Amino acid sequence: MAFSKQQLKKFADLICIEISDEKLEKMNIDSVVEWLDKLQKIDTTGVEPMLNPAEHKLPLREDVVTEPNMREQILANTPDKAGVSRGYFAVPKVMEGD
């Protein structure tokens, strides 16, 4: 299936791109369209669609507490000690609200 120069210009106008005549001469759109036609003819009946061609699954690990009761040590690193007595980090207000 060969496309004429006018057809390619019309396609370019439809998808809002500008292609110079020099580039149109160099482009080999016909080979891409032929390849797409070949893909369309492949029989895929019985083939389930994939979300990802690589079926990798991340390894899971058990959720185990390794160093319990470190609240005071963690809160000792905060630069603003305003919330330490209540057991939380105090951060500057970033949003205005009612």
Side-chain angles (χ1 to χ4, degrees):
M1 171 189 294
F3 288 104
S4 69
K5 197 173 185 181
Q6 290 84 10
Q7 287 174 317
L8 292 175
K9 278 282 195 191
K10 186 173 181 177
F11 293 150
D13 290 340
L14 288 172
I15 59 174
C16 299
I17 61 172
E18 219 175 286
I19 299 176
S20 67
D21 290 337
E22 295 167 356
K23 284 190 178 181
L24 275 177
E25 295 294 329
K26 293 178 184 176
M27 291 175 71
N28 192 0
I29 298 294
D30 296 331
S31 65
V32 174
V33 172
E34 288 172 13
W35 182 73
L36 290 172
D37 283 340
K38 285 181 187 178
L39 284 178
Q40 289 287 352
K41 293 176 185 173
I42 296 174
D43 181 24
T44 58
T45 54
V47 178
E48 290 195 29
M50 301 190 271
L51 295 176
N52 187 348
E55 296 290 333
H56 294 291
K57 293 187 179 180
L58 294 175
L60 298 177
R61 64 173 174 80
E62 206 171 309
D63 191 13
V64 178
V65 177
T66 55
E67 298 178 29
N69 300 327
M70 294 184 62
R71 177 185 258 181
E72 285 76 27
Q73 293 162 327
I74 293 170
L75 289 173
N77 293 322
T78 183
D80 185 359
K81 305 292 184 197
V84 172
S85 64
R86 292 187 212 103
Y88 61 84
F89 285 101
V91 295
K93 187 176 183 179
V94 293
M95 295 176 59
E96 297 296 325
D98 295 331

